[in-house]
Amino acid sequence: MCKYIFITGGVCSSIGKGIASASIGALLKASGLKVFTQKLDPYLNVDPGTMSPFQHGEVFVTEDGSETDLDLGHYERFIDSNLSKLSSVTTGKIYSEILEKERKGAFLGRTIQIIPDITNCIQEKILKAGESSNCDIIMIEIGGTVGDIEGLPYLEAIRQLRNKLGEENTFFVHLTLLPYLKGSKELKTKPTQASVRELRSIGIQPDMIMARADYPIKKDHLKKIALFCDVSEDYVIPAETVSSIYEVPLNFEKYNVTQLIAEKLKLGKLKPKLKEWEDLNETIKSKKPGLKIALVGKYTGLDDAYLSVIESLKIACYDEKHDLNLIWVSSEKLEENDEETWEKLKEAEGIVVPGGFGKRGIEGKILAIKYAREHNIPYLGLCLGMQLMVIEFARNMLKDPQITSEEFDEEEKIPSKKYIIHFLPDQSKTREKGGTLRLGAYDCKLIKDTKAHKLYKQDLISERHRHRYEFNNDYKNKLEEKGMIFSGINPKQDLVEISEIKDHKFMLGCQFHPEFKSRPGKPHPLFRGLIQATLKNN
């Protein structure tokens, strides 16, 4: 039978529930168990697909095309397993499903209520994920913090699940912050006590408390938490800030987390094999030369907006025994010809333009791409980054500054024949925005004797997509004559997936998002290619 581990958070958000969940999952997988993960998000959006990255960070896409929370990226990278739509549950999805049933008459004769209808639906999602994934352990993170009004149905649902499944099949982890007061120079446990008290008032007694802190946690702090929160001292785990997120599993295991969970869930003796994690952390901590890679975007300085891209760059750098020195470059300031921003770009040894939507900052990204092409700087374009690479090349090689994307001509002032990037066949301006993009894994056939084929070392690949526009094949022959190679094609729809510039050390764009498939110790071929080309260029 599948065992269920629930992770809740207290005191404040963004303290690392996703990393904690992923790390526990990594330890259990390293112990030989099959692990699946799930995120329960209390917000009313059906998914984060239409949210601004400023609010919610990147949108992570699963193999089956589900737009999800960025924590699923952490789960996949740590557990090295592909997740699915079962991994992402939101209040928007729950209420939409319930209301659709109500409209169809499924509840005729009675009132729909939070309890039992909403809580039952939440439990069904949890149990279905456990059964369908055929896993030994399912990690379930509940978004937000204890005390949030919108999160109460989820807490009630998991409280009921413990009664249904039994203590030997359910385990509650509560991650909570120990704030540091500079005035008194000490960590305070009172907010943790209040958070656990709130949780217990709902009817949930945590089995394990993980205490997050940016400063060393003393033994006295752990004893105090154990006493006031009614948890065995062994089950109060220091979760101190470490130098890398990939150190967290090793840090947890120092406190015997795997076996403590195993004892409660009656899993027998578990000993995780952590050699790969140890080797990775040894590489991360070792003294290494840095590599300057510019990330040109409009959400500069906001790591979460480009989380998987940044992690993919780090992973590829670690594999080449280098550190990533990330240079944030604002595309809007490039447009404004800001001297300091241009100097930043010129320091870069490699350039990445990530995905995105809308026309804000577009011309700045195109200027960065032109700089990379003319100065032979290794370049990787992701989704929008590929489209802009094609636009820049076409404008200059075909001597036509009007060439653009249909996405950027909102007022329809430019003739449609100038759209080198246009809507996919089933897309339009009038189509609903939520969940209607080209999403999930699609095949791509690689052309031999190209950079892409040499990097992947295979003829057919599958990559994850999230876009509404595609390359206009009417321009294909014209650009090939000028030195552009279309090295990856979708075999079913004849869509351009990868383009390269022939006489450049490394200038490659892909219509998909390779960052979603990078794993620690297993860099994605395209990110590896960028880093290797940058090192060779040096």
Side-chain angles (χ1 to χ4, degrees), residues 25-197:
L27 291 171
L28 293 169
K29 183 175 181 182
S31 302
L33 298 174
K34 185 178 179 183
V35 179
F36 191 74
T37 51
Q38 188 177 52
K39 177 77 182 286
L40 309 182
D41 271 310
Y43 51 70
L44 276 169
N45 304 65
V46 173
D47 59 48
T50 56
M51 292 188 204
S52 165
F54 280 123
Q55 279 200 13
H56 207 74
E58 75 170 11
V59 176
F60 188 84
V61 179
T62 57
E63 285 283 298
D64 61 358
S66 184
E67 293 179 289
T68 72
D69 183 83
L70 58 81
D71 276 325
L72 269 73
H74 289 312
Y75 303 158
E76 285 205 3
R77 284 187 287 272
F78 275 65
I79 301 171
D80 193 18
S81 296
N82 291 335
L83 301 177
S84 69
K85 62 183 179 182
L86 296 173
S87 296
S88 180
V89 177
T90 67
T91 298
K93 286 179 182 175
I94 297 290
Y95 275 68
S96 295
E97 189 175 306
I98 292 290
L99 292 174
E100 185 179 352
K101 285 182 179 179
E102 188 273 338
R103 292 291 84 188
K104 289 180 178 179
F107 299 97
L108 288 180
R110 71 178 184 84
T111 305
I112 305 171
Q113 296 178 292
I114 303 297
I115 304 172
D117 299 298
I118 298 300
T119 51
N120 282 350
C121 190
I122 293 168
Q123 290 175 57
E124 287 167 12
K125 300 288 186 189
I126 294 169
L127 294 173
K128 184 179 179 182
E131 292 164 6
S132 300
S133 62
N134 195 30
C135 62
D136 301 307
I137 299 285
I138 179 167
M139 307 291 308
I140 300 149
E141 176 194 347
I142 298 174
T145 59
V146 173
D148 294 344
I149 291 174
E150 60 266 34
L152 289 174
Y154 292 93
L155 296 175
E156 172 61 19
I158 67 173
R159 182 197 68 78
Q160 291 178 22
L161 269 180
R162 164 155 280 189
N163 289 332
K164 291 178 182 179
L165 301 174
E167 291 189 4
E168 71 279 7
N169 294 313
T170 54
F171 189 87
F172 293 119
V173 179
H174 190 55
L175 183 73
T176 176
L177 179 70
L178 301 189
Y180 181 80
L181 299 184
K182 286 188 177 180
S184 58
K185 297 180 180 179
E186 62 179 340
L187 291 170
K188 304 302 291 184
T189 65
K190 274 289 187 288
T192 291
Q193 295 173 42
S195 177
V196 173
R197 186 163 58 247

Side-chain angles (χ1 to χ4, degrees), residues 414-466:
I414 299 172
S416 60
K417 65 180 180 180
K418 301 289 186 180
Y419 296 155
I420 197 169
I421 305 294
H422 60 183
F423 275 115
L424 283 158
D426 60 341
Q427 300 287 332
S428 68
K429 287 183 179 179
T430 58
R431 191 172 185 190
E432 289 184 355
K433 296 293 187 289
T436 60
L437 300 166
R438 185 178 189 231
L439 293 165
Y442 288 86
D443 287 340
C444 172
K445 185 179 180 181
L446 300 180
I447 309 303
K448 290 184 178 179
D449 299 321
T450 60
K451 284 186 175 70
H453 191 274
K454 288 173 184 175
L455 289 170
Y456 279 97
K457 297 181 175 64
Q458 58 191 91
D459 297 333
L460 189 68
I461 61 171
S462 175
E463 292 283 1
R464 301 181 196 180
H465 294 67
R466 184 177 183 250

